[in-house]
Amino acid sequence: MAIILGIESSCDESAAALIGSDRTVLAHRLAGQEEAHKPYGGVVPEIAARAHVQVLTPLIEAALKDAGLTLDDVDAIAATAGPGLIGGVMVGLVTAKALAMAAGKPLIAVNHLEGHALSPRLADASLEFPYLLLLVSGGHCQILRVDGVGQYRRLATTIDDAAGEAFDKTAKILGLGYPGGPRVEALAKTGDPKAVPLPRPLLGSAEPHFSFAGLKSAVLRAAQSGAHRPEDIAAGFQAAVVDCLVDRLERALSVSSGSTSPEFPSPSTPPVGVAQDELQPLAEVEGRDRKGLSQGPSTSRRGREVHPERLACQPAEGLGTNGGGMFCPSEPKPKTLVVAGGVAANGAIRSALEALAARHGMGFVAPPLWLCTDNAAMIGWAGAERFALGLTDPLDIAARPRWPLDPEAEAARGAGVKA
Ligand code: KG4
Ligand code: ZN
């Protein structure tokens, strides 16, 4: 069994874990920074980076002690190398590099999103590739087809805010404090989800993308009106998010199974809730240059490498090139719907997705709550998966503030593209 030290520091959680390649979590230590950021109502990057410097080394020492191990017993050191707040990412990555150099161990630079994407496989040994993943966190809201380690095809993304961001902003508007997701969920339990009419942006649109900015503005207006109870706003907001997530996944699934529904608008129709003049040209997305990930490259119209399978796929009816390239009739249909990322801790969302999977005859996997929000076990596990494939990294690898899981995915049409 290989033992991997995992280090996470991309946002406001410092964490260290020791993970066995047999899925044993030998130790996991996590230090949140809630108190430090509370006065500002959100994460302050400089404060976060300084806090990581203070706590990361003691956390690693404590995790090793918990597991009864020394650095000599570790087979590789995996750390988040992006995407995230660059100061924090650098603290974790430099710590990992120093330990790797001192102990003569291989370094594995993990994409934080890959940590989330593979975390369900740490929790569930029976989860096999390919699977359909809804990745919902504070910074991302994406539907991905996961074909293997390092093999991700993005089917959809948000054109503005991430789902977690919308939860955090709603919490701020309602004066619930930070982090918002769990607080909005708790308040929503006592409210009436139908009492406040709130929009469902992009519901029914052709491409399975997401949008939450309009919902956030509607929450603000509802709160400012003084006409509604906060618990009803929270419940209405959460119900709207659930409806959007389910509808967009339904759309992705209907296209992937070849049953495009005629009621969806044509691709020339601007997404619901986005004015035509808000639509911006495609933004550039970063490429990726990591070993083992690029096979038989061709060049796309934007000069990037394109997987041969993607070239062979024709856009499904009603979709642009972005959505269409991901659905290949010749590929095996994923049998399992998987949700990961901080927002996957939400009970209402988990139940709705479980029901959706059942409707489609798919299995459903959601990691335990502690593995949904940021942690080092998922980084250690992603490290273990990569280590098993011989995917290690040089000590001069750079931290990356932006690092898409699918570098070939084109930016979604719409304003304020983030992923
Ligand atoms: O994955 P994560 O810990 O960090 C990022 O990589 O972004 O996700 C954090 C996000 C925050 O926006 C937080 O409010 C949200 O996940 N979150 C939740 C819940 N728990 C955390 N959102 C809804 N319901 C929850 N129970
Ligand atoms: Zn995360």
Side-chain angles (χ1 to χ4, degrees):
M1 176 180 83
I3 297 174
I4 311 294
L5 167 63
I7 297 172
E8 160 60 28
S9 61
S10 65
C11 192
D12 58 344
E13 253 102 28
S14 316
L18 288 146
I19 304 297
S21 54
D22 65 351
R23 295 184 164 78
T24 324
V25 179
L26 299 162
H28 185 240
R29 287 273 183 149
L30 184 139
Q33 306 173 358
E34 217 175 304
E35 287 306 314
H37 300 289
K38 214 179 211 167
Y40 309 96
V43 179
V44 182
E46 289 77 10
I47 293 176
R50 235 174 293 142
H52 290 307
V53 171
Q54 280 165 4
V55 302
L56 211 44
T57 306
L59 276 180
I60 294 166
E61 284 167 353
L64 283 167
K65 197 164 169 229
D66 292 347
L69 299 171
T70 69
L71 217 47
D72 280 344
D73 303 314
V74 167
D75 292 283
I77 299 169
T80 296
L85 301 174
I86 191 65
V89 172
M90 283 171 71
V91 172
L93 187 57
V94 166
T95 304
K97 285 178 180 181
L99 293 175
M101 202 188 299
K105 306 287 178 180
L107 173 76
I108 303 168
V110 173
N111 182 322
H112 177 87
L113 301 175
E114 182 164 65
H116 281 303
L118 298 177
S119 65
R121 282 169 52 82
L122 169 59
D124 188 335
S126 67
L127 176 59
E128 287 176 4
F129 302 119
Y131 52 87
L132 192 72
L133 171 70
L134 174 67
L135 202 168
V136 267
S137 67
H140 295 85
C141 185
Q142 304 185 347
I143 303 174
L144 296 141
R145 182 188 160 101
V146 182
D147 281 306
V149 176
Q151 293 173 27
Y152 307 96
R153 250 184 285 164
R154 201 194 69 195
L155 312 196
T157 187
T158 179
I159 64 166
D160 41 55
D161 293 351
E165 205 175 342
F167 268 96
D168 293 334
K169 284 174 180 167
T170 295
K172 200 170 181 180
I173 290 166
L174 297 178
L176 302 178
Y178 180 87
R183 295 167 193 219
V184 171
E185 181 178 14
L187 187 63
K189 288 200 170 89
T190 62
D192 173 2
K194 295 207 170 78
V196 187
L198 291 170
R200 269 86 174 140
L202 292 190
L203 212 77
S205 78
E207 290 177 322
H209 294 315
F210 302 91
S211 167
F212 295 105
L215 175 58
K216 169 194 66 188
S217 306
V219 165
L220 180 63
R221 283 194 297 276
Q224 285 172 340
S225 74
H228 304 289
R229 300 188 309 157
E231 51 268 47
D232 291 340
I233 298 177
F237 162 78
Q238 186 173 271
V241 173
V242 167
D243 286 353
C244 290
L245 295 177
V246 168
D247 175 79
R248 310 294 53 222
L249 275 164
E250 288 276 9
R251 177 58 181 160
L253 285 166
S254 79
V255 181
S256 61
S257 65
S259 59
T260 44
S261 164
E263 73 256 23
F264 288 111
S266 77
S268 57
T269 310
V272 179
V274 178
Q276 187 69 58
D277 58 7
E278 279 184 299
L279 297 177
Q280 291 178 345
L282 297 175
E284 269 310 319
V285 198
E286 281 184 85
R288 183 180 183 187
D289 184 19
R290 294 275 300 268
K291 56 179 165 172
L293 297 184
S294 180
Q295 308 148 350
S298 302
T299 306
S300 76
R301 65 189 166 87
R302 295 162 71 206
R304 291 194 307 266
E305 288 179 1
V306 175
H307 283 272
E309 316 92 75
R310 186 182 291 252
L311 285 177
C313 297
Q314 293 306 309
E317 200 185 331
L319 290 177
T321 51
N322 188 34
M326 296 165 296
F327 303 114
C328 247
S330 58
E331 290 176 330
K333 195 181 164 221
K335 292 193 188 73
T336 314
L337 175 65
V338 172
V339 64
V343 183
N346 184 285
I349 292 171
R350 290 166 86 96
S351 315
L353 296 181
E354 191 166 11
L356 169 81
R359 282 200 297 282
H360 286 265
M362 297 173 85
F364 177 67
V365 174
L369 301 194
W370 73 272
L371 207 48
C372 291
T373 45
D374 286 351
N375 64 84
M378 69 181 193
I379 303 303
W381 174 250
E385 295 244 38
R386 297 188 78 82
F387 188 65
L389 297 172
L391 299 172
T392 60
D393 293 283
L395 284 176
D396 63 353
I397 193 160
R400 299 176 64 173
R402 302 199 67 201
W403 186 0
L405 270 184
D406 177 1
E408 291 163 11
E410 294 190 348
R413 294 172 303 156
V417 171
K418 298 213 166 154

